[in-house]
Amino acid sequence: MSTPLGDILRNRRVEEPAEVQVIKKFVQKQFGASCRVVVQPQQIVIQVASASLAGALRIKLHELQKLCDTDKRLMIRIG
């Protein structure tokens, strides 16, 4: 008998890249807000809910770049 697709997806463990975890924890700790992170080959896109959060995060982008220990470009998107 086959397993229903819903059961397979429910039990699936999705591992986030280390950079994603670092960025999400940083934003939550520094600003008390959540964000979405998308890793692309040349860049990492951080999507936040407001322009004020994006502006505050932009100031700390160099610190976040060092914490992530990556050469990828960090971009902030409001959405």
Side-chain angles (χ1 to χ4, degrees):
M1 202 147 230
S2 64
T3 306
L5 183 60
D7 291 341
I8 294 171
L9 293 176
R10 192 175 315 113
N11 295 329
R12 185 174 146 221
R13 300 265 183 220
V14 177
E15 293 294 325
E16 294 179 328
E19 296 97 341
V20 173
Q21 294 174 355
V22 169
I23 292 168
K24 286 183 175 183
K25 286 180 185 176
F26 181 84
V27 172
Q28 183 64 44
K29 182 179 177 183
Q30 294 289 323
F31 305 106
S34 62
C35 66
R36 293 182 63 202
V37 181
V38 177
V39 179
Q40 298 174 344
Q42 300 295 322
Q43 63 192 8
I44 298 174
V45 180
I46 306 166
Q47 185 173 349
V48 295
S50 67
S52 61
L53 177 56
L57 181 59
R58 186 167 307 281
I59 294 170
K60 299 200 176 254
L61 217 51
H62 292 290
E63 181 182 344
L64 188 55
Q65 181 85 31
K66 289 179 185 177
L67 287 174
C68 289
D69 192 31
T70 183
D71 292 334
K72 294 181 180 181
R73 180 177 170 214
L74 297 180
M75 286 185 51
I76 300 173
R77 181 174 294 151
I78 304 165

